[in-house]
Amino acid sequence: MNAIIPARQSEALPEPFQPSGRGAKSNAAGRFERATSEPVDDGWHSEAPPRQIKTTLIRDAARSIITTNDSPDISFDQSVNPYRGCEHGCIYCFARPTHAYWGYSAGLDFESVIFFKPGAAELLRKAFSKRGYTPRPIALGSNTDPYQPVERDLRITRAILETCLSFRHPVSIITKSAGVLRDLDLLAELASMGLAHVAISVTTLDAKLARTMEPRASTPTRRLSAITALSEAGVPVSIFTSPMIPGLNDHELENLLGAGAKSGASHASYVLLRLPLEVEPLFKQWLSVERPLSAKKIMGLIESTRGGKAYDSRFHARMRGEGPVADLIRARFERACRANGLSRKVVPLRTDLFTVPEKESDQLSLF
């Protein structure tokens, strides 16, 4: 397991800097920091920075665990995030700017400084046990991946699923990791009661692109295999072809949906690339390194779906975009779904089976 050490401040790194196994190419200070820094070669130091950046784990002593939202373009209204930050290092991740709230960079810090919530399951039990609690599906992975590499040791997500099973509470999962199969026993039991759904995000079938764009996520082949294993175990599973990036991976849309259907997915969805706040410069920097000859064209196509800007935060428009390019992607997606028998809507999870275990009820009676 990675060592737990005190938080570190964001630091400037020489350019271009390409750390091994990481998505971001820099570690600029967050937008709330009063001071920023940049590297300057003064001729005294010629030593190159280390290519390996170790992951730092920081205990998050959260007092509550369920996050609610009322966004009209999001299909769930409550979620649980076992982790802040994500080791997968997906360069396009819309959650990167959240690290700035804690004094860290949305760049390399986001994927190497991971906050974890060891008391998540206990907090969830307390929330479920409160008088008057109304069960609604809990979404795992709405912000950062619940099956990122540190979960192998910390097992926080598994404890959350055990809690959901104990209370007969509905839960949905979005992940890029075949690690979800570790908990197939719990998911299959939940699914047998109509209480679980899993969406596997597959952005490309190109292993080389995946390795640079989402360096620590499972390979595309392993994700498709996870879809098959989940489906065969009776767990409803979707293929989430997101984000669609015009000029980079959108040409794979039909092949992605076809591969998902062939692997056993019964539903499909997608979101157009979102580049809020610090994600925009990070993505542009990544393009300049990984796709230097087509970077300008790709950004031009992206901006054509956002009214000439890199991002449009308006509800609904932020997810699908507008204009001819966005409309064409939407039409292609719908046609490919029909061709592959993929539903656009997931069967609602049950909430009528929810029950507070006898042990929890006895404890509540003391108060």
Side-chain angles (χ1 to χ4, degrees):
M1 182 182 295
N2 299 289
I4 301 174
I5 63 176
R8 65 169 182 260
Q9 293 299 312
S10 301
E11 56 185 346
L13 298 166
E15 299 292 350
F17 178 61
Q18 299 185 51
S20 177
R22 300 294 181 179
K25 309 299 182 184
S26 60
N27 206 40
R31 62 190 180 281
F32 299 112
E33 303 307 299
R34 294 184 177 181
T36 60
S37 62
E38 59 181 289
V40 176
D41 185 1
D42 58 7
W44 285 93
H45 300 283
S46 60
E47 184 178 338
R51 284 184 55 78
Q52 294 290 341
I53 296 179
K54 295 182 179 179
T55 297
T56 298
L57 297 182
I58 300 175
R59 186 181 298 271
D60 185 338
R63 295 184 179 181
S64 61
I65 196 62
I66 298 178
T67 300
T68 59
N69 80 83
D70 57 2
S71 300
D73 56 356
I74 295 179
S75 61
F76 57 86
D77 58 9
Q78 60 178 13
S79 60
V80 169
N81 291 294
Y83 303 100
R84 291 175 178 159
C86 185
E87 278 192 289
H88 283 164
C90 304
I91 190 58
Y92 51 72
C93 183
F94 70 89
R96 283 181 176 273
T98 61
H99 244 44
Y101 288 110
W102 314 105
Y104 292 92
S105 171
L108 290 167
D109 279 350
F110 176 79
E111 52 196 274
S112 63
V113 181
I114 309 299
F115 293 79
F116 69 101
K117 303 175 184 178
E122 179 59 28
L123 290 171
L124 198 60
R125 280 194 291 271
K126 290 180 179 179
F128 288 169
S129 300
K130 287 183 178 179
R131 296 186 186 280
Y133 173 79
T134 301
R136 301 187 306 277
I138 291 284
L140 294 177
S142 60
N143 197 44
T144 56
D145 204 303
Y147 286 102
Q148 57 183 289
V150 295
E151 169 63 17
R152 297 170 192 154
D153 296 318
L154 298 180
R155 301 172 69 86
I156 298 173
T157 298
R158 182 170 179 85
I160 289 172
L161 291 178
E162 289 172 339
T163 300
C164 288
L165 181 58
S166 178
F167 282 79
R168 301 295 189 266
H169 195 287
V171 60
S172 65
I173 293 173
I174 303 175
T175 183
K176 285 184 172 68
S177 176
V180 66
L181 297 182
R182 180 204 62 187
D183 296 335
L184 190 57
D185 57 332
L186 299 174
L187 291 169
E189 188 170 356
L190 284 162
S192 69
M193 295 180 280
L195 298 174
H197 171 264
V198 176
I200 302 292
S201 176
V202 189
T203 50
T204 178
L205 299 176
D206 182 340
K208 184 177 180 180
L209 174 59
R211 184 53 56 198
T212 58
M213 189 167 63
E214 39 201 30
R216 295 198 174 193
S218 297
T219 64
T221 299
R222 291 192 65 209
R223 289 183 232 178
L224 291 172
S225 294
I227 290 176
T228 299
L230 288 162
S231 178
E232 291 177 348
V235 180
V237 57
S238 299
I239 180 168
F240 191 38
T241 56
S242 298
M244 276 290 103
I245 307 173
L248 185 63
N249 72 336
D250 68 307
H251 67 282
E252 296 188 67
L253 180 55
E254 287 82 2
N255 289 337
L256 284 167
L257 292 172
K262 185 176 180 180
S263 297
S266 54
H267 311 86
S269 60
Y270 83 99
V271 171
L272 201 66
L273 175 70
R274 299 162 59 185
L275 296 175
L277 301 168
E278 290 95 340
V279 187
E280 178 186 347
L282 286 167
F283 184 75
K284 286 181 175 178
Q285 185 181 47
W286 179 86
L287 277 180
S288 71
V289 174
E290 301 294 343
R291 291 290 191 275
L293 300 180
S294 55
K296 185 176 180 180
K297 176 183 177 181
I298 292 170
M299 283 307 305
L301 289 169
I302 291 170
E303 290 168 1
S304 76
T305 69
R306 303 295 186 185
K309 301 179 293 183
Y311 183 55
D312 181 351
S313 62
R314 290 177 299 147
F315 289 133
H316 300 292
R318 63 177 179 168
M319 298 297 189
R320 293 290 186 263
E322 296 176 333
V325 173
D327 290 345
L328 180 58
I329 290 175
R330 185 180 306 112
R332 288 171 53 205
F333 175 80
E334 292 174 352
R335 180 177 180 180
C337 282
R338 290 194 298 270
N340 290 284
L342 292 166
S343 173
R344 295 289 307 280
K345 294 183 179 180
V346 177
V347 176
L349 299 177
R350 296 182 64 177
T351 58
D352 59 308
L353 299 180
F354 177 77
T355 182
V356 177
E358 185 176 340
K359 179 181 177 181
E360 306 291 339
S361 299
D362 291 344
Q363 290 177 341
L364 284 172
S365 67
L366 298 177
F367 299 95

